[in-house]
Amino acid sequence: MNKKTSLKDIAQHLGVSTALVSYVINNKEKEARVGADMVKKIRQAVIDMNYQPNLVAKSLKSGQSKTIGLVVADISNPFFSMIARLIEDEAMKLGYVVIFGSSDENAEKSQSLINVYLNRQVDGFIISPTEHTEEQIRAVQKTGIPVVLIDRYFPDFPTDSVRINNKEVSEQAVDHLIGKGRNNIAILTYKTKMAHITDRTEGYKMSLKKHKIKVNKKLICEASYQDIEKDVRNQMLNLFNGEQQVDGIFFATNSLAVLGLKVIIGLGIKVPEDLAIVSFDQSDAFDFFYAPLSYVSQCLQQLVKEAINLLIKRIQQPGKSRNSYESVIVEAKLVTRES
Amino acid sequence: MNKKTSLKDIAQHLGVSTALVSYVINNKEKEARVGADMVKKIRQAVIDMNYQPNLVAKSLKSGQSKTIGLVVADISNPFFSMIARLIEDEAMKLGYVVIFGSSDENAEKSQSLINVYLNRQVDGFIISPTEHTEEQIRAVQKTGIPVVLIDRYFPDFPTDSVRINNKEVSEQAVDHLIGKGRNNIAILTYKTKMAHITDRTEGYKMSLKKHKIKVNKKLICEASYQDIEKDVRNQMLNLFNGEQQVDGIFFATNSLAVLGLKVIIGLGIKVPEDLAIVSFDQSDAFDFFYAPLSYVSQCLQQLVKEAINLLIKRIQQPGKSRNSYESVIVEAKLVTRES
DNA sequence: ATCACTAGCTTAAACCTTTAAGCTATTAAA
DNA sequence: TTTAATAGCTTAAAGGTTTAAGCTAGTGAT
């Protein structure tokens, strides 16, 4: 109702200049040589008048908004909402606030989010990028505002990024299936050229080759992001109705696994007798499947910590390292259970 | 690298005043009687120089940040991340951006989030409040910045709020269990005085009374937010190791259900033969339980739409309706499945 | 030739901070 | 007594916008 009190209000109330009040509020009374009793008077007035600084004005003056822009594919996806939560915690500790947006794997939405955040003068970006957004990222880099990619990355295009060892851990996952005596192993993955996903297929292939198992293209199932439910269903039905005697499957993400498992349940396939399963990432759902799933565990906390550290480093040393970007790789590990 | 172009830059480049540029950019060329060729020149310069408005400066001038502050218990909880996602979509459509924070059911964290958002001049709040935060909400109301509570509410304290018919739908849920021939029905709920939860217990009791079943305090299990896993475990073990022949259970939230189901699986209890179950809210996990759970379905989309509508209405008619707050109740419905 | 209008601009203040530079009165030193 | 230094304040500009008010030159009417 009644407007917020500003520096000016306090200054007028005490009959002094706003400069003086500002110095005291920012604890610069010594540099500015403010008198001891004046300091007291101002401190008291700040309390009495319930002064709260206007961060918008501060931002305008300083050019720092103390805001981080987060762009992910979909904040309602547990994987990303967990990342968001961890980013929020780390950012808060450092006095930053997070604004978020979901790109829905759509380059246009991604661009519009980035634009909005740029106009709002975010101090830095954390982005889990979508296909065909390399130029968007490059444009941000040109502005001098730091960007750190998280989870996803562009191998042919230099950026700061934090991610896991997708290829290696996928290889381990398939090794594990082979170790269980399986040799007709399928992979369900996304139809995408994004490296974090194709790396997983690479790891799958590497494991097969290492074990002298021939790679069968029919066992590499790709579902597109659009109409994902139907697509997974069809891919899975194809897989199990065909002549291939699939005895193992590797799901490239937890979302794919959740959808895939529903089909597996529907078909009455027995796990792990008829089919051994490893998935990427966790899900509450995995614990309720009658044979708790083996999965690749990413330490999201560490991933986020590295991302924030890198971002803050960039924010605090602007201009530096324009031509040297850092890639941080966090080790994921395989958790084996009954499946 | 190179600084963003400002209004001033464009004005200098064309040798005109910033006022003129501002009028054209905001499509007020008619009111301001700007010459037709000048309009063209400015429009072209805006494109050539890639002008992007500084929203921080705009905010300072207008007092409107076009930002909504969202406070929930935990953004990584699927229930809230879905709400966040829906709010994001609605807000984006209207040109608003969302900043979010998690209170962890902690009144102090809630206060600090609210303070940060106030200092950042958010235009409105959407809050799913935690216990003992009535005064915080009241303080926000006093500032004149609109607040809409979502999901949770304070029955004795007037606010704008959007929620579901907790009591009635809980009664229906228990009616359903009774209809299945159960008469030793337990409820697992949180140890809290928040009305959205206690309403569910009320509904449970109402159903029992209606069916002339005596309410047994031993069947009302309350777990505290802190150390929730252990607490649920203990409560459940008590329930099933005691003399009560529990044959039905109503979970007051999906988080409680997920934890509770794990215990039920561990104990080897057969669903629905030995135990019939209804839970509040959905979860991927429910689909994987061998007997797909019956649950109370909230239409979050509608909930969020109502919340945003109400909030925007308040933002656009400031001062109005200071003493008349609105409560919107969205109907939730029972989805019955095998459990 | 004078006046009234109006089209087409500019000026300047305001939003709230921060901070370098400047001012004044007092004190200390010479 | 004069000069220099210092403590303790104020002034004013800057950051990027918006917008009411003011200014100027040209047009048309008288």
Side-chain angles (χ1 to χ4, degrees), chain A residues 1-2 4 52-57 59-60 65-67 70 73-78 81-82 84-85 88-89 92 95-104 109 112-113 115-121 141-145 257-259 261-262 265 283-290 319 322, chain B residues 1-2 4 52-57 59-60 65-67 70 73-78 81-82 84-85 88-89 92 95-104 109 112-113 115-121 141-145 257-259 261-262 265 283-290 319 322:
Chain A
M1 233 54 194
N2 17 357
K4 284 183 60 168
Q52 299 290 129
N54 181 326
L55 262 33
V56 170
S59 289
L60 178 58
S65 63
K66 287 284 182 178
T67 302
L70 173 66
D74 179 4
I75 194 81
S76 73
N77 177 323
S81 70
M82 184 54 87
R85 176 59 211 266
E88 177 207 331
D89 285 346
M92 207 72 177
Y96 286 82
V97 142
V98 182
I99 61 184
F100 69 92
S102 306
S103 70
D104 284 325
K109 276 197 189 179
S112 99
L113 285 169
N115 285 342
V116 169
Y117 294 174
L118 279 176
N119 294 349
R120 286 175 182 259
Q121 322 291 124
Q141 288 177 333
K142 268 197 192 163
T143 68
I145 298 174
V258 166
L259 293 171
L261 281 176
K262 288 187 184 173
I265 291 174
S283 164
D284 262 348
F286 295 173
D287 300 339
F288 284 90
F289 192 66
Y290 58 89
R322 273 292 62 105
Chain B
M1 235 52 196
N2 17 355
K4 286 185 59 171
Q52 300 289 130
N54 182 327
L55 262 34
V56 171
S59 290
L60 177 59
S65 63
K66 287 280 179 182
T67 302
L70 173 66
D74 179 4
I75 193 83
S76 72
N77 177 324
S81 71
M82 183 54 88
R85 176 59 210 266
E88 177 207 330
D89 285 347
M92 207 70 177
Y96 285 82
V97 142
V98 182
I99 61 184
F100 68 92
S102 307
S103 70
D104 283 325
K109 278 198 188 180
S112 101
L113 286 169
N115 284 342
V116 170
Y117 295 174
L118 279 177
N119 293 349
R120 286 176 181 260
Q121 322 289 128
Q141 289 177 330
K142 267 196 191 163
T143 68
I145 298 173
V258 166
L259 293 172
L261 281 175
K262 287 185 186 173
I265 292 173
S283 164
D284 263 346
F286 295 172
D287 299 339
F288 286 90
F289 189 66
Y290 59 88
R322 273 293 65 104

Side-chain angles (χ1 to χ4, degrees), chain B residues 55-319:
Chain B
L55 262 34
V56 171
K58 255 184 152 148
S59 290
L60 177 59
K61 181 75 219 208
S62 68
Q64 293 239 300
S65 63
K66 287 280 179 182
T67 302
I68 293 173
L70 173 66
V71 180
V72 297
D74 179 4
I75 193 83
S76 72
N77 177 324
F79 178 77
F80 291 118
S81 71
M82 183 54 88
I83 285 185
R85 176 59 210 266
L86 295 166
I87 290 179
E88 177 207 330
D89 285 347
E90 293 295 320
M92 207 70 177
K93 279 187 216 158
L94 299 166
Y96 285 82
V97 142
V98 182
I99 61 184
F100 68 92
S102 307
S103 70
D104 283 325
E105 311 289 357
N106 175 332
E108 284 179 36
K109 278 198 188 180
S110 163
Q111 181 69 75
S112 101
L113 286 169
I114 289 176
N115 284 342
V116 170
Y117 295 174
L118 279 177
N119 293 349
R120 286 176 181 260
Q121 322 289 128
V122 295
D123 293 342
F125 284 88
I126 297 184
I127 301 182
S128 185
T130 293
E131 248 175 322
H132 312 308
T133 57
E134 293 91 332
E135 281 311 315
Q136 300 175 14
I137 309 289
R138 193 196 306 273
V140 173
Q141 289 177 330
K142 267 196 191 163
T143 68
I145 298 173
V147 200
V148 173
L149 302 189
I150 191 166
D151 181 46
R152 308 179 174 188
Y153 70 106
F154 297 110
D156 302 328
F157 167 51
T159 63
D160 285 321
S161 79
V162 178
R163 55 195 165 90
I164 58 160
N165 54 340
N166 287 289
K167 213 176 285 185
E168 293 74 12
V169 77
S170 296
E171 186 179 352
Q172 283 172 37
V174 179
D175 284 352
H176 170 73
L177 289 172
I178 294 173
K180 291 269 176 179
R182 313 303 163 129
N183 46 27
N184 256 322
I185 300 170
I187 179 171
L188 179 60
T189 182
Y190 286 111
K191 186 176 196 60
T192 176
K193 296 207 172 94
M194 290 297 294
H196 71 295
I197 294 294
T198 57
D199 281 355
R200 296 175 194 182
T201 308
E202 275 309 305
Y204 159 85
K205 287 180 184 169
M206 282 165 61
S207 173
L208 293 185
K209 283 178 190 159
K210 190 171 63 185
H211 292 88
K212 319 279 185 206
I213 299 176
K214 214 177 147 199
V215 174
N216 178 350
K217 283 198 175 170
K218 287 190 180 168
L219 297 182
I220 301 180
C221 307
E222 297 180 341
S224 69
Y225 285 116
Q226 295 79 263
D227 211 10
I228 184 75
E229 293 201 29
K230 210 169 139 193
D231 221 19
V232 167
R233 199 177 162 66
N234 290 338
Q235 296 280 351
M236 294 291 288
L237 291 178
N238 261 337
L239 202 58
F240 293 104
N241 289 344
E243 309 85 57
Q244 310 93 346
Q245 292 293 337
V246 178
D247 55 10
I249 188 164
F250 175 45
F251 291 112
T253 74
N254 56 358
S255 311
L256 289 170
V258 166
L259 293 172
L261 281 175
K262 287 185 186 173
V263 178
I264 287 171
I265 292 173
L267 291 174
I269 296 170
K270 285 194 181 125
V271 179
E273 296 84 352
D274 300 344
L275 184 71
I277 303 178
V278 177
S279 172
F280 228 90
D281 308 328
Q282 267 172 295
S283 164
D284 263 346
F286 295 172
D287 299 339
F288 286 90
F289 189 66
Y290 59 88
L293 287 207
S294 299
Y295 60 93
V296 170
S297 164
Q298 307 196 36
C299 182
L300 294 187
Q301 184 139 22
Q302 203 190 336
L303 208 67
V304 165
K305 252 193 182 140
E306 298 282 358
I308 290 274
N309 283 348
L310 187 48
L311 187 68
I312 298 296
K313 195 171 86 179
R314 296 303 189 201
I315 289 176
Q316 286 170 353
Q317 320 178 335

Side-chain angles (χ1 to χ4, degrees), chain A residues 35-282:
Chain A
D37 32 352
M38 183 52 88
V39 171
K40 269 194 184 171
K41 276 207 286 184
I42 293 175
R43 289 255 151 78
Q44 192 57 48
V46 164
I47 296 171
D48 292 346
M49 305 179 68
N50 187 31
Y51 172 76
Q52 299 290 129
N54 181 326
L55 262 33
V56 170
K58 253 182 155 149
S59 289
L60 178 58
K61 180 80 219 219
S62 68
Q64 295 238 301
S65 63
K66 287 284 182 178
T67 302
I68 292 173
L70 173 66
V71 180
V72 296
D74 179 4
I75 194 81
S76 73
N77 177 323
F79 178 77
F80 291 118
S81 70
M82 184 54 87
I83 285 185
R85 176 59 211 266
L86 294 167
I87 290 179
E88 177 207 331
D89 285 346
E90 292 295 321
M92 207 72 177
K93 279 187 214 159
L94 299 165
Y96 286 82
V97 142
V98 182
I99 61 184
F100 69 92
S102 306
S103 70
D104 284 325
E105 311 289 356
N106 176 332
E108 283 179 36
K109 276 197 189 179
S110 164
Q111 181 69 75
S112 99
L113 285 169
I114 289 176
N115 285 342
V116 169
Y117 294 174
L118 279 176
N119 294 349
R120 286 175 182 259
Q121 322 291 124
V122 295
D123 293 341
F125 284 89
I126 296 184
I127 302 183
S128 186
T130 293
E131 249 176 322
H132 313 307
T133 56
E134 291 91 331
E135 281 312 315
Q136 300 175 13
I137 309 288
R138 195 196 305 277
V140 174
Q141 288 177 333
K142 268 197 192 163
T143 68
I145 298 174
V147 200
V148 173
L149 303 189
I150 192 165
D151 180 47
R152 308 179 174 188
Y153 70 106
F154 298 111
D156 303 328
F157 169 50
T159 63
D160 287 317
S161 80
V162 177
R163 54 196 166 91
I164 58 158
N165 55 340
N166 287 289
K167 213 177 285 185
E168 294 74 12
V169 77
S170 296
E171 189 180 350
Q172 284 171 37
V174 179
D175 284 353
H176 169 74
L177 290 172
I178 294 173
K180 291 268 176 181
R182 314 301 165 129
N183 44 29
N184 254 324
I185 299 169
I187 178 172
L188 178 62
T189 181
Y190 286 112
K191 186 176 198 62
T192 176
K193 295 206 171 95
M194 290 298 293
H196 71 295
I197 295 295
T198 59
D199 281 355
R200 297 176 192 182
T201 308
E202 276 309 305
Y204 160 85
K205 288 181 182 167
M206 281 165 63
S207 172
L208 293 185
K209 283 177 188 158
K210 190 170 64 184
H211 292 90
K212 319 280 187 202
I213 300 176
K214 213 176 148 199
V215 174
N216 179 349
K217 284 198 176 170
K218 287 190 180 167
L219 297 183
I220 301 180
C221 308
E222 297 180 341
S224 69
Y225 286 114
Q226 294 79 266
D227 211 10
I228 183 73
E229 292 200 30
K230 210 170 142 193
D231 221 18
V232 166
R233 199 176 160 70
N234 289 338
Q235 296 280 351
M236 294 289 290
L237 291 178
N238 260 335
L239 201 60
F240 292 103
N241 290 345
E243 311 87 56
Q244 311 94 345
Q245 291 293 335
V246 178
D247 55 8
I249 189 162
F250 175 45
F251 291 113
T253 73
N254 56 358
S255 311
L256 289 170
V258 166
L259 293 171
L261 281 176
K262 288 187 184 173
V263 179
I264 288 171
I265 291 174
L267 291 173
I269 297 170
K270 284 195 183 125
V271 179
E273 297 83 354
D274 300 344
L275 183 71
I277 304 177
V278 177
S279 172
F280 229 88
D281 309 327
Q282 267 172 294

